[in-house]
Amino acid sequence: MSELTGEREVGRSRPRKEDARLVTGQTNWTDNIGVTGLLHLAILRSPMAHARIERIDVAPARERPGVVAAFTGRDLAGDLASLPCAWPVTEDIVLPDHPAVAVDEVRYAGDPVAVVVARDRYTAADALEAVEVDYEPLPPVLDLEAALADDASLVHADKGTNRCYVWPLATGESYETVRERADVVLHRRYHQQRLIPNAMEPRSVVVTPLAASGEYTVHSATQIPHVLRVMLAMVTGIPEHKLRVVAPDVGGGFGSKLQVYGEEVIALDLARRLGRPVKWTESRSEGFLATHHGRGQIQDIEVAATGEGRLLGLKVDLLADMGAYLMLVTPGIPILGAFMYPAIYKMDAYAFTCTGVFTTRTPTDAYRGAGRPEATYAIERIMDELAVEVGLDPVELRRRNWIGHEEFPYTSIAGLTYDSGNYEAATDKALALFGYDELRAEQAKRNESGDPVRLGIGVSTYTEMCGLAPSRVLRDLRYGAGGWEAASIRMLPTGKVEVVTGTSPHGQGHETCWSQIAADVLGVPFEDVEVVHGDTRSAPQGMDTYGSRSLVVGGAAVHHAAEKVVDKARKVAAHLLEADERDLDFADGVFSVKGSPEERRTIQEVAFETFSSHDLPDGMEPTINAEHLLDPENFSYPHGTHLCAVEVDTETGRTSIRSYVCVDDVGKVVNPVIVEGQVHGGLAQGIAQALYEEAVYDDEGNLVSGTMADYLVPAAPDLPEFTTDRTETPATSNPLGVKGVGEAGTIASTPAVVNAIVDALRPLGVHDVRMPCSPGRVWEALRSAQADRSGWEGAERS
């Protein structure tokens, strides 16, 4: 038996259990799966953004050697329901049919139009060129505002509009009333460019039928095996109990694998039709076209404030690009942000309206942070603008408006109850680490000297909401699923432990953290705990992993299940020790009689006694296993302060991050090294939006940034050294005191970087730079500001 060290596991920087098999190539990614008789699926995709399919013939492809079958959308339509949208955010939302393969019209470049199944992947791919398709081009719909015009071309002509929904929220006083009494009213427009998720492992699915029993095993690189199982049953009509979904080790997701993709449905349907196992793995090029995109919003934001900089009200009008179809949670992504625009600030009025718009582009959906990065960006950008307007340092402006630590719990103007936090402590620590005053002094000196390389300082004080729950709140938001999570713990006869979790990790480190949580509660060695996940047969209940929910909901469920194990074991131990349960102490896995510590039983001994069941209390089941389903009472609210210093070359437009400091408060920390890794990864993705990444379409709706050469995913040399630290105010909504950390870095870093760039260039007349702030965009902003100043000076002279 492994030995206890006496050190608490929670809070300890354990190396990740899962890394050994990942870094030594001993794991089994979905594309590695080989099955006897395996067939390979290839998908022909539309080269046009919008067109009517006039004629399609797959017969020439079917005649190719090695090809087993080929189908059009019409061939498959009879067996399949529309792909699901589980978040119809309003009663009158426009919900168009979403076929897995287009039948008579394509609505984005990359829309599937035919499928080929062959004995090997390359034959299937080559046979696509034999499929004959005649298209009649239709006008693309690309501009969000133009799409809402009365005479706009329609993405779904049968719906009569490109307006998907309008979702309003108004709280507190009337915004118009507070606007009238404001000394300062500022309006800004920000653009959230489309982003394309790039997980290390592409999407992949393998479906294996078992004809004798009518069962199907679906291996998929997914974040949501449990949700996928339900949805596959609903779309294909295959009974849910005949479906097993397995998510093996999954190489990243960032929201892109929180989805029910047409390719998963097609592979299952073809395995059913052909009675053979079918595999599909996307190429990188397919991934750029057909994996859902993130962001894609136009934000009109307005603040009303006093002359001293106190916020009175906030108004947000949002246009959100749905793309061509509504996927699993597409409409709800901007609604998640609706509750976070007020952020950490107090105000009297809040008005929000989101309009979802169909376009002929790849559908959008969740991408790391999902609505919350967009909200944080807009409010943190305009807070900097307000600071300039009222003549305050941006940190001082925030101090005048944020919720004081003594005010928690605090119900925000958006209706969320923040349970804990200390914005002052996180900001003070960040300022000290950053050397804020010294950098401001250097900035003034360089500005005065006319230095062509300007120094800018960006501030971002954020909060977010993690652990999408409780379920009744999700009901009120018309979300199709619950917010609960399941965990069960099996005490094996030899004293080893299996933790079964409904969360489904794809790089987060659940196996390590869940082991730490269970080891502490049960008093067993960390090494004696095994975590089972990602298979609907072995872990039948769960709501999976997204939105930084896993630790705050799934980890807490593990904690509760372990407590139930101890409670059951206590009854057995008391019986064996001939003592009353109330007279037993439990520490480090040992039950002992109070006052007679030599009278003791370990929890492992109890587990074996339960296995033999020779001497259990009357009426007791022969098990101390336990499960717990947790539906949390509230979200959790991490927060922090991020500070960024940049140097911007005004002659070339090049931006260099000189230093980056973040102090996050994620509540209690289970494993500091994992938290550190999550923060680093999040920072990289947030900085990538600020400086590098953008899905670019031409005027015909073709994606022109559809390769790794065109879409700039930063690598380690493109990023600075990060200075990270933490403050700690435990969450009160779960027994662990944890808040979630997976998205914090992404949410906070984008506005910190852009605020720094604008701060550097503001003395030169620049008030905004559209993301990504590439050298070209910065240079253009400088030239535009210079032209404006020249024009203004000319007008003054005349």
Side-chain angles (χ1 to χ4, degrees):
M1 180 181 296
S2 304
E3 295 296 326
L4 280 173
T5 64
E7 184 179 350
R8 295 280 297 174
E9 285 294 339
V10 171
R12 187 176 177 187
S13 284
R14 281 277 193 182
R16 302 196 332 165
K17 280 186 170 183
E18 45 273 80
D19 282 351
R21 68 172 186 274
L22 297 176
V23 301
T24 58
Q26 297 180 62
T27 190
N28 198 26
W29 309 106
T30 300
D31 192 48
N32 297 137
I33 294 171
V35 185
T36 302
L38 183 64
L39 300 176
H40 295 262
L41 167 66
I43 298 172
L44 183 67
R45 299 181 184 278
S46 169
M48 311 186 76
H50 198 194
R52 189 169 293 114
I53 300 173
E54 291 289 287
R55 185 184 72 88
I56 182 165
D57 186 359
V58 296
R62 203 178 285 139
E63 293 167 3
R64 290 280 185 102
V67 171
V68 174
F71 301 95
T72 66
R74 195 171 300 281
D75 295 332
L76 302 178
D79 289 347
L80 302 175
S82 174
L83 296 180
C85 172
W87 202 343
V89 294
T90 62
E91 286 190 14
D92 60 350
I93 188 172
V94 174
L95 267 172
D97 282 343
H98 185 184
V101 180
V103 176
D104 51 17
E105 190 170 321
V106 293
R107 295 182 171 88
Y108 67 96
D111 209 353
V113 295
V115 299
V116 172
V117 184
R119 292 190 174 86
D120 65 79
R121 178 176 185 175
Y122 304 104
T123 299
D126 289 346
L128 294 179
E129 66 185 14
V131 178
E132 298 173 358
V133 191
D134 292 337
Y135 297 100
E136 179 191 351
L138 296 171
V141 181
L142 303 171
D143 184 276
L144 292 180
E145 292 176 297
L148 296 175
D150 291 339
D151 59 349
S153 299
L154 297 177
V155 181
H156 300 275
D158 60 319
K159 300 301 181 186
T161 181
N162 290 321
R163 183 177 284 102
C164 176
Y165 66 87
V166 178
W167 193 95
L169 175 68
T171 60
E173 297 181 46
S174 159
Y175 176 76
E176 296 307 320
T177 300
V178 302
R179 190 179 193 277
E180 288 177 5
R181 69 171 185 260
D183 300 315
V184 178
V185 175
L186 276 183
H187 178 273
R188 293 289 185 271
R189 167 169 281 204
Y190 301 122
H191 293 262
Q192 292 282 331
Q193 77 271 35
R194 274 179 169 248
L195 301 177
I196 303 177
N198 276 281
M200 189 174 289
E201 181 197 15
R203 290 185 293 129
S204 183
V205 57
V206 178
V207 181
T208 306
L210 185 59
S213 60
E215 297 177 354
Y216 299 85
T217 299
V218 180
H219 285 83
S220 180
T222 180
Q223 296 175 222
I224 52 166
H226 298 91
V227 174
L228 180 60
R229 183 190 190 212
V230 174
M231 293 300 174
L232 286 176
M234 294 173 71
V235 173
T236 65
I238 296 172
E240 185 182 351
H241 66 291
K242 297 293 186 183
L243 285 172
R244 175 190 179 192
V245 177
V246 183
D249 278 323
V250 175
F254 313 119
S256 71
K257 294 171 182 172
L258 164 56
Q259 194 54 265
V260 178
Y261 281 104
E263 291 86 351
E264 293 165 319
V265 171
I266 296 166
L268 177 57
D269 186 48
L270 295 180
R272 173 172 60 179
R273 284 170 174 263
L274 303 172
R276 299 269 299 273
V278 173
K279 176 192 283 188
W280 174 82
T281 300
E282 71 177 356
S283 67
R284 282 289 174 190
S285 297
E286 275 188 302
F288 277 100
L289 284 171
T291 298
H292 74 239
H293 292 180
R295 314 286 194 261
Q297 297 178 1
I298 298 175
Q299 303 167 300
D300 283 293
I301 183 168
E302 185 175 290
V303 290
T306 68
E308 293 74 38
R310 190 178 85 76
L311 276 176
L312 298 175
L314 170 66
K315 185 172 186 288
V316 178
D317 287 305
L318 201 63
L319 291 180
D321 188 351
M322 303 285 100
Y325 298 100
L326 302 182
M327 299 193 72
L328 191 62
V329 292
T330 300
I333 298 305
I335 307 308
L336 283 173
F339 299 96
M340 299 312 302
Y341 278 90
I344 66 173
Y345 306 117
K346 297 179 284 189
M347 61 191 75
D348 303 325
Y350 175 47
F352 173 91
T353 304
C354 175
T355 302
V357 184
F358 289 112
T359 63
T360 53
R361 295 195 270 198
T362 300
T364 60
D365 209 302
Y367 180 65
R368 199 167 187 173
R372 291 155 288 173
E374 297 94 310
T376 301
Y377 180 83
I379 187 66
E380 290 303 288
R381 283 285 296 113
I382 205 165
M383 287 299 280
D384 261 29
E385 298 295 302
L386 180 60
V388 173
E389 190 71 18
V390 298
L392 289 174
D393 180 276
V395 176
E396 175 57 26
L397 179 83
R398 287 166 168 84
R399 279 199 182 101
R400 292 187 182 189
N401 286 286
W402 67 35
I403 302 157
H405 70 277
E406 73 283 358
E407 298 178 83
F408 288 94
Y410 184 89
T411 299
S412 78
I413 190 73
L416 301 177
T417 300
Y418 299 165
D419 60 333
S420 67
N422 191 328
Y423 310 138
E424 304 96 310
T427 302
D428 288 346
K429 189 176 237 185
L431 291 172
L433 289 169
F434 192 61
Y436 187 81
D437 293 338
E438 294 81 359
L439 282 167
R440 283 291 183 204
E442 179 185 340
Q443 181 188 42
K445 189 174 180 182
R446 288 169 67 165
N447 286 347
E448 188 177 350
S449 69
D451 191 334
V453 179
R454 295 298 177 115
L455 176 64
I457 297 168
V459 181
S460 173
T461 51
Y462 79 99
T463 188
E464 62 155 324
M465 55 186 194
C466 297
L468 200 58
S471 297
R472 58 182 177 276
V473 169
L474 302 184
R475 173 205 60 197
D476 294 343
L477 293 173
R478 301 178 60 82
Y479 183 63
W484 54 267
E485 193 47 82
S488 62
I489 292 182
R490 298 195 286 251
M491 288 295 300
L492 305 181
T494 56
K496 308 302 182 187
V497 180
E498 288 180 339
V499 173
V500 182
T501 177
T503 64
S504 190
H506 36 284
Q508 291 88 348
H510 293 186
E511 293 179 28
T512 306
C513 292
W514 284 204
S515 295
Q516 292 178 273
I517 293 167
D520 269 358
V521 179
L522 297 173
V524 301
F526 168 82
E527 296 80 4
D528 285 358
V529 183
E530 196 72 25
V531 177
V532 179
H533 59 81
D535 185 336
T536 59
R537 178 168 293 173
S538 56
Q541 291 180 294
M543 280 294 176
D544 307 314
T545 289
Y546 54 87
S548 297
R549 70 182 301 274
S550 289
L551 181 60
V552 296
V553 190
V558 170
H559 176 90
H560 285 301
E563 286 185 324
K564 288 183 176 178
V565 169
V566 173
D567 289 343
K568 285 186 169 183
R570 183 185 297 275
K571 295 181 185 300
V572 179
H575 178 75
L576 295 173
L577 293 167
E578 298 180 347
D580 191 279
E581 289 178 45
R582 292 167 294 186
D583 292 334
L584 292 187
D585 289 325
F586 181 69
D588 295 331
V590 178
F591 294 98
S592 59
V593 179
K594 293 176 181 175
S596 302
E598 69 282 0
E599 297 294 324
R600 62 202 300 272
R601 287 287 190 280
T602 67
I603 196 167
Q604 292 91 345
E605 290 171 332
V606 171
F608 192 83
E609 290 291 343
T610 308
F611 168 69
S612 65
S613 296
H614 292 168
D615 188 19
L616 292 184
D618 291 340
M620 184 169 181
E621 288 182 297
T623 179
I624 57 173
N625 296 347
E627 69 174 352
H628 191 90
L629 274 73
L630 175 66
D631 199 348
E633 62 188 45
N634 194 4
F635 298 99
S636 65
Y637 300 97
H639 70 83
T641 297
H642 288 220
L643 301 171
C644 179
V646 300
E647 292 185 321
V648 184
D649 189 328
T650 58
E651 294 177 346
T652 66
R654 184 174 187 273
T655 297
S656 303
I657 296 179
R658 177 167 142 178
S659 63
Y660 195 101
V661 169
C662 60
V663 176
D664 295 294
D665 188 330
V666 297
K668 289 285 186 182
V669 171
V670 174
N671 187 319
V673 73
I674 288 179
V675 167
E676 188 78 358
Q678 290 275 11
V679 171
H680 277 227
L683 292 175
Q685 281 186 281
I687 292 171
Q689 179 175 7
L691 294 180
Y692 301 110
E693 297 186 16
E694 182 174 26
V696 180
Y697 286 82
D698 66 15
D699 292 341
E700 300 301 317
N702 300 303
L703 180 67
V704 297
S705 58
T707 72
M708 284 287 188
D710 304 301
Y711 188 90
L712 303 181
V713 179
D718 302 310
L719 297 166
E721 291 287 327
F722 302 126
T723 300
T724 64
D725 208 331
R726 292 190 300 277
T727 54
E728 183 178 296
T729 54
T732 62
S733 57
N734 64 76
L736 298 170
V738 297
K739 296 185 175 181
V741 68
E743 294 156 319
T746 303
I747 290 169
S749 58
T750 308
V753 173
V754 178
N755 277 344
I757 294 170
V758 175
D759 182 64
L761 303 178
R762 198 182 302 277
L764 303 175
V766 174
H767 299 285
D768 192 27
V769 180
R770 190 165 165 172
M771 295 188 293
C773 302
S774 63
R777 287 248 170 93
V778 170
W779 191 87
E780 287 173 3
L782 282 164
R783 297 291 82 78
S784 177
Q786 188 178 42
D788 288 346
R789 294 177 68 175
S790 299
W792 180 80
E793 289 168 1
E796 284 288 294
R797 283 195 296 272
S798 65

